[in-house]
């Protein structure tokens, strides 16, 4: 009888890499926060209500029509200085956007701290819906009954 050589054992899978230290996992969200904080600090310091600091909206200047972003700098100034009523009065849609971004950032930090990737999968219907909301907001704020939404 011929003795068959026993097959070589299958190689074991490589060990899973050790999770990065907490400081390394939080570096990217904290750098993003620093950038946003710097932008809000600048807008909070340099008042957009005083002429000459920022360029005017070209659509407003050429047509007199408020775009969805008109008043965005004034609303950021209101948020940075703690004047939320003034921020909503300047651009309510921007303030809602700031809040959504802050919530997404908080989720990003928690997921990063737990070592989980942050994945936001957005379907095309979201972009179409966002565009429709921005268009409706822009139309309403330019009509007489929606003047409360105008900056």
């Amino acid at each position: 009888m011929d003795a068959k050589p026993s097959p070589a054992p299958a190689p074991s899978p490589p060990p899973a890499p050790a999770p990065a230290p907490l400081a390394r996992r939080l570096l990217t969200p904290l750098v993003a926060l620093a950038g946003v904080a710097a932008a809000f600090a600048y807008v909070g310091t340099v008042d957009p209500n005083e002429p000459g600091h920022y360029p005017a909206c070209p659509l407003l200047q050429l047509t007199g029509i408020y775009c969805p972003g008109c008043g965005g700098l004034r609303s950021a100034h209101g948020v940075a200085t703690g004047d939320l009523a003034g921020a909503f009065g300047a651009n309510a849609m921007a303030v809602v956007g700031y809040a959504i971004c802050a919530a997404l950032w908080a989720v990003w930090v928690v997921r990063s701290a737990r070592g989980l990737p942050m994945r936001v999968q957005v379907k095309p219907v979201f972009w179409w819906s966002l565009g429709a909301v921005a268009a409706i907001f822009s139309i309403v704020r330019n009509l007489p009954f929606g003047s409360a939404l105008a900056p």
Side-chain angles (χ1 to χ4, degrees), residues 1-6:
M1 290 178 97
D2 288 331
K4 292 183 180 178
S6 62

Side-chain angles (χ1 to χ4, degrees), residues 26-80:
L26 294 178
L27 180 64
T28 305
L30 292 177
V31 168
L33 176 64
V36 170
F40 270 84
Y42 180 80
V43 173
T45 304
V46 182
D47 190 356
N49 294 305
E50 295 184 19
H53 295 294
Y54 301 99
C57 173
L59 181 68
L60 179 62
Q61 206 159 16
L62 293 173
T63 66
I65 296 173
Y66 296 117
C67 75
C70 280
L73 279 174
R74 288 187 295 280
S75 82
H77 178 76
V79 168

Side-chain angles (χ1 to χ4, degrees), residues 40-142:
F40 270 84
Y42 180 80
V43 173
T45 304
V46 182
D47 190 356
N49 294 305
E50 295 184 19
H53 295 294
Y54 301 99
C57 173
L59 181 68
L60 179 62
Q61 206 159 16
L62 293 173
T63 66
I65 296 173
Y66 296 117
C67 75
C70 280
L73 279 174
R74 288 187 295 280
S75 82
H77 178 76
V79 168
T81 58
D83 179 16
L84 292 181
F88 270 103
N91 191 323
M93 194 169 99
V95 176
V96 170
Y98 304 149
I100 291 170
C101 287
L104 284 173
W105 180 84
V107 169
W108 185 17
V109 168
V110 169
R111 290 185 64 82
S112 294
R114 292 180 179 169
L116 302 171
M118 180 65 177
R119 290 192 179 97
V120 178
Q121 296 177 348
V122 182
K123 297 185 188 288
V125 70
F126 170 80
W127 296 114
W128 284 104
S129 300
L130 183 62
V133 167
I136 291 167
F137 176 72
S138 186
I139 291 168
V140 169
R141 74 191 316 208
N142 284 289

